[in-house]
């Protein structure tokens, strides 16, 4: 596996090596100890999620209260999504910055997202299937969101799908009502940056 740290510290792109023949393809999409040796920590598994989205579905930007927060290891096993990580840690040198990775069923990359970082993705085709490993279980009282359309963050979400057709973004009511980064900061919703704890 090849690892590349994103512009947001604590987030990594992981590209697996694929082995194919006339029968199909085999790959390892997560593997210890290479993960912990590169990232500098283990991934404790508490929950595994799967979401299937129509083209144009925009999910996020989501995060959980820290501590304990929720680290995620995300890949797309069918279709394609643009996966986005946003630094929501107040006091971080990269606060408010974002980076993205194309997750699809061709390169089969994954993204690791540390606690305190925001996460979202846009489905680039129908039935895009995203699976993710989570370090803590879902707790609705500790889950929050920041608007994925906040111009203060400025995520450049695609407007064209994988097949070249225009995308019509579809968001949940909760994501549509999400506060901006500034509003979330003023409300004290965001995690604090702790140096050395990406």
């Amino acid at each position: 596996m090849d690892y590349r740290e994103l512009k947001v510290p604590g987030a990594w792109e992981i590209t697996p090596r694929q082995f194919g023949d006339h029968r199909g393809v085999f790959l390892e999409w997560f593997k210890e100890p290479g993960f912990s040796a590169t990232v500098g920590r283990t991934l404790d598994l508490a929950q595994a999620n799967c979401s299937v989205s129509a083209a144009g579905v925009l999910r996020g930007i989501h995060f959980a209260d820290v501590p304990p927060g929720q680290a995620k290891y995300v890949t797309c096993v069918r279709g394609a999504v643009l996966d986005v990580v946003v630094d929501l840690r107040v006091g971080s040198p990269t606060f408010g910055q974002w980076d993205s990775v194309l997750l699809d069923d061709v390169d089969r990359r994954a993204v690791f997202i540390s606690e305190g970082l925001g996460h979202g993705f846009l489905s680039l085709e129908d039935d895009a299937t995203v699976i993710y490993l989570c370090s803590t279980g879902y707790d609705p009282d500790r889950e929050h969101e920041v608007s994925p359309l906040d111009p203060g963050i400025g995520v450049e979400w695609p407007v064209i799908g994988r097949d070249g057709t225009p995308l019509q973004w579809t968001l949940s009511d909760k994501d549509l009502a999400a506060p901006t980064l500034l509003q979330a900061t003023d409300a004290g919703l965001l995690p604090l940056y702790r140096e050395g704890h990406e």
Side-chain angles (χ1 to χ4, degrees):
M1 291 184 172
D2 296 319
Y3 292 82
R4 178 180 69 88
E5 190 166 21
L6 301 183
K7 291 187 299 187
V8 176
W12 296 78
E13 172 192 88
I14 301 98
T15 304
R17 295 188 176 98
Q18 301 186 57
F19 304 93
D21 60 23
H22 66 282
R23 301 168 299 162
V25 174
F26 174 83
L27 65 126
E28 297 167 339
W29 72 282
F30 177 82
K31 186 174 183 180
E32 280 282 2
F35 173 82
S36 58
T38 303
V39 175
R41 58 169 290 172
T42 60
L43 176 61
D44 298 323
L45 178 60
Q47 184 171 315
N49 298 334
C50 176
S51 69
V52 181
S53 303
V57 168
L58 177 50
R59 300 182 187 266
I61 299 166
H62 300 153
F63 67 100
D65 285 343
V66 176
Q70 187 182 66
K72 298 175 183 175
Y73 191 96
V74 184
T75 193
C76 181
V77 294
R78 177 180 179 184
V81 301
L82 183 73
D83 197 87
V84 170
V85 181
V86 181
D87 192 344
L88 301 178
R89 302 166 299 186
V90 175
S92 167
T94 56
F95 177 72
Q97 294 183 27
W98 62 276
D99 203 350
S100 65
V101 175
L102 176 66
L103 301 181
D104 63 18
D105 53 14
V106 177
D107 293 321
R108 303 184 191 278
R109 290 186 180 94
V111 174
F112 173 69
I113 302 134
S114 292
E115 296 87 349
L117 301 178
H119 175 247
F121 62 85
L122 174 67
S123 175
L124 302 177
E125 66 179 89
D126 284 337
D127 297 322
T129 303
V130 174
I131 57 174
Y132 37 112
L133 308 176
C134 302
S135 65
T136 58
Y138 175 72
D139 182 348
D141 295 332
R142 303 179 65 81
E143 302 289 326
H144 306 284
E145 52 281 325
V146 171
S147 173
L149 305 178
D150 178 5
I153 299 173
V155 175
E156 296 171 8
W157 299 107
V159 294
I160 303 295
R162 192 181 200 187
D163 64 359
T165 60
L167 290 175
Q168 181 71 38
W169 298 337
T170 305
L171 287 77
S172 70
D173 291 342
K174 191 174 181 182
D175 287 340
L176 281 170
T180 65
L181 184 64
L182 180 59
Q183 290 168 336
T185 304
D186 289 346
L189 292 175
L190 301 179
L192 298 177
Y193 175 72
R194 297 182 303 149
E195 193 167 355
H197 292 88
E198 282 94 32

